Amino acid sequence: MTRNAPSEILRRWPGPLIATLAAIAATGLGTAAPATATTTVTHTTVTHTTASRASVTAAAAATQKHVYLRSALGNEPYVTTENGWSGSTGMHAKNVIRARAATPGPWEGYRIDYLGPSSGNAVHLWSDAAQAYVTAEFAWGTTSSGLDQRGTLHARPGQTSTGPWETFYLNQTGAHTFTLSVRDSGGKLWYVTAEQNYPGDEAGLLRARATKPGPWEQFTTGPGPQNLVGGDDYPAQWKSPAQDSFANVFGLNRECVSYVAWKIYENSGGTQVPGGRAAPSDWARYSVRVDPTSGSGAWSYAYNWGYAAASHHITVNHTPTPGSVAWWDRKGVWAAHGTGHVAYVTAVQKSGSAVTGFDIAEYNIEGRDGAYSTIHFTVSNGKLVRRAANTTPSGPMAGVDLSWVPIPDGFVHINGF
């Protein structure tokens, strides 16, 4: 299939992107300045710039963003979905929301769905642990001990639709802080509070109860959830047939793009396990279209992913983060067949704020029969100190020399990872 060259694609992109992406098309991402990087990985060096967390409202250009929510008070406790509680209503209901964790884990991951500027900065909050949207429970009353439960934030089990009580308004109050508010059935706006004075295991309960924001109503975010589903869990119905036996919206089976599209799907909240060759029915909610024969807007060959992402205002930079996509353009070792390559970043190692290494998982490295492999890149004192190391534990790629694999040309941050 004939594909447009990057320079041709750039002519159709919005004006602010053209200068940056023209440089990428001409020289490769390794020499273009990253848009929002905190730690920069280039072809030869890893350098650290001033650490920062991106403005949450700045992410509104993307449809979704995966984050850890945190209260901005004190040591900034992480916001937890109490998935281990068993009650059906009230403060001890299953999946009540509290700001209480010192470190993040599976119960602290959320997805922010941005509804766009025309909605007044409205968002929906999806709890990864509950697999449900967060609701402000305005129908709840007081406990027998007199604690007010009205407006408690709760990821109701099975709450997969949204209404007024699931629609929050996110407003930036500082460089890294914001408020969340929601309207009750009468249309009155209430700000979400982290209840610092509630006793025992009710401490930190999130409630929509304040009429104006103060210190208890300030929130911030941490990096996207690190509890990624890892390993070679590519669907069995796609893995068993020979490579390129069939295609679905994620592309040809056992190709790098198909594996990465699958990892994006399951780590962005998708839960369907394919029982056949078709992609999950809700793939469009969580992942990207790859196969150009399946419809418009396909990301297609791996080399095109960096350009396709930028055209959708998705961050492409030099900062590896767990859940991001490592991307190689069609040059160097991938120039011969012109397809490029993509892989999934499974882990990033740091010393303080400086990157010391990162790990990727992928399929079909340099056309090697659609097999799975893992690779580790090591950096030290700001420089690449070892070539790519094959860390594949077993299978046909175990022990194969992969030291020739270069540093990625960039990292694509789909769904905010």
Side-chain angles (χ1 to χ4, degrees):
M1 170 173 290
T2 301
R3 299 289 300 166
N4 289 318
S7 59
E8 294 171 346
I9 297 171
L10 286 169
R11 294 190 192 106
R12 300 197 299 271
W13 285 353
L17 293 173
I18 291 178
T20 299
L21 291 167
I24 293 171
T27 63
L29 247 168
T31 55
T36 55
T38 57
T39 305
T40 301
V41 177
T42 72
H43 289 270
T44 57
T45 63
V46 174
T47 57
H48 178 249
T49 59
T50 302
S52 64
R53 281 177 291 191
S55 163
V56 175
T57 52
T63 303
Q64 300 173 339
K65 183 177 178 66
H66 274 79
V67 297
Y68 291 125
L69 291 175
R70 307 177 73 172
S71 167
L73 282 171
N75 61 354
E76 298 186 351
Y78 289 88
V79 173
T80 300
T81 298
E82 295 293 3
N83 197 240
W85 291 3
S86 58
S88 57
T89 62
M91 290 182 179
H92 290 96
K94 184 177 181 66
N95 298 335
V96 156
I97 311 294
R98 289 202 302 143
R100 60 86 170 165
T103 57
W107 293 0
E108 283 72 46
Y110 297 87
R111 190 189 74 224
I112 301 177
D113 294 350
Y114 295 89
L115 306 189
S118 62
S119 68
N121 292 329
V123 299
H124 295 144
L125 302 178
W126 175 268
S127 165
D128 290 341
Q131 289 291 291
Y133 285 106
V134 175
T135 300
E137 299 285 10
F138 286 115
W140 290 2
T142 57
T143 66
S144 58
S145 60
L147 289 178
D148 193 354
Q149 302 174 112
R150 185 178 186 272
T152 295
L153 266 59
H154 177 214
R156 294 175 179 173
Q159 186 67 43
T160 56
S161 60
T162 58
W165 291 5
E166 289 79 35
T167 302
F168 297 83
Y169 299 91
L170 187 154
N171 288 291
Q172 205 81 25
T173 56
H176 311 303
T177 57
F178 57 90
T179 61
L180 291 168
S181 55
V182 58
R183 296 188 184 278
D184 62 18
S185 297
K188 186 171 182 178
L189 191 70
W190 300 94
Y191 288 91
V192 175
T193 300
E195 297 289 8
Q196 301 300 304
N197 288 342
Y198 273 23
D201 59 7
E202 284 109 6
L205 187 75
L206 263 58
R207 287 205 306 130
R209 62 89 169 162
T211 56
K212 60 182 180 180
W216 290 10
E217 288 72 43
Q218 304 297 317
F219 295 89
T220 186
T221 63
Q226 312 291 298
N227 51 307
L228 300 175
V229 179
D232 183 14
D233 64 344
Y234 190 60
Q237 298 296 325
W238 304 356
K239 185 191 304 184
S240 297
Q243 184 186 15
D244 298 346
S245 294
F246 67 92
N248 54 35
V249 295
F250 289 168
L252 290 164
N253 70 306
R254 292 171 57 178
E255 291 285 355
C256 63
V257 289
S258 176
Y259 174 75
V260 171
W262 165 251
K263 298 306 289 184
I264 293 168
Y265 169 81
E266 66 172 348
N267 281 311
S268 295
T271 59
Q272 295 182 23
V273 179
R277 295 185 171 187
S281 61
D282 59 350
W283 67 267
R285 183 178 185 86
Y286 302 107
S287 193
V288 299
R289 182 190 299 275
V290 177
D291 181 18
T293 68
S294 67
S296 61
W299 287 40
S300 193
Y301 295 118
Y303 81 83
N304 192 54
W305 280 44
Y307 305 107
S311 73
H312 290 287
H313 303 276
I314 294 171
T315 299
V316 182
N317 61 19
H318 305 289
T319 306
T321 55
S324 63
V325 176
W327 167 66
W328 291 263
D329 205 344
R330 51 178 176 181
K331 60 185 181 181
V333 296
W334 280 281
H337 47 73
T339 59
H341 190 61
V342 289
Y344 198 71
V345 179
T346 57
V348 175
Q349 299 82 42
K350 291 185 176 182
S351 176
S353 57
V355 169
T356 59
F358 60 95
D359 297 275
I360 62 170
E362 54 77 45
Y363 259 64
N364 199 41
I365 189 77
E366 184 61 319
R368 291 176 183 255
D369 299 325
Y372 171 80
S373 61
T374 58
I375 300 174
H376 177 72
F377 293 89
T378 303
V379 295
S380 179
N381 297 322
K383 295 183 182 296
L384 182 66
V385 296
R386 278 205 300 271
R387 289 186 176 273
N390 186 352
T391 55
T392 311
S394 60
M397 291 299 294
V400 173
D401 179 17
L402 295 177
S403 62
W404 54 267
V405 179
I407 287 284
D409 290 308
F411 299 92
V412 180
H413 300 273
I414 299 170
N415 292 339
F417 280 110

